[in-house]
Amino acid sequence: MLLGRKKKGFGKGKWNAAGGMFDSLKGDRDIVDTAIRETEEEVGIKIRDLEKVAVFDFLFPKERYWNQRVHVFLCTN
């Protein structure tokens, strides 16, 4: 599992996987493209051949703007 310590924003100082938001202006066609781009931007590794293995919804009833949908991928290359 590839994790890095979050430097700013929500979860600052916690261990976290690479990730970010879908952005068609950066060439993202789907969530797989987003995972590939974000990993390269944050970690410097160009990944490929991803397999989606899970989707988690994190809900924060008192602070709804924190709600997140997290897509989890397996990469063996």
Side-chain angles (χ1 to χ4, degrees), residues 7-76:
K7 295 181 181 177
K8 60 184 180 180
F10 181 78
K12 180 180 177 182
K14 306 287 186 193
W15 289 99
N16 196 2
M21 304 291 281
F22 175 86
D23 189 341
S24 62
L25 296 177
K26 292 185 177 182
D28 297 350
R29 294 168 295 172
D30 56 29
I31 197 70
V32 173
D33 286 343
T34 302
I36 292 168
R37 177 183 54 77
E38 288 286 350
T39 302
E40 187 170 14
E41 286 178 6
E42 295 181 15
V43 184
I45 298 171
K46 181 76 172 187
I47 57 176
R48 60 177 193 255
D49 300 330
L50 299 181
E51 175 188 355
K52 187 186 285 191
V53 295
V55 177
F56 296 111
D57 288 317
F58 293 93
L59 305 176
F60 298 85
K62 292 184 180 180
E63 304 290 345
R64 293 186 192 278
Y65 61 90
W66 287 355
N67 290 351
Q68 298 179 29
R69 173 163 283 165
V70 177
H71 300 260
V72 181
F73 296 90
L74 175 65
C75 176
T76 57

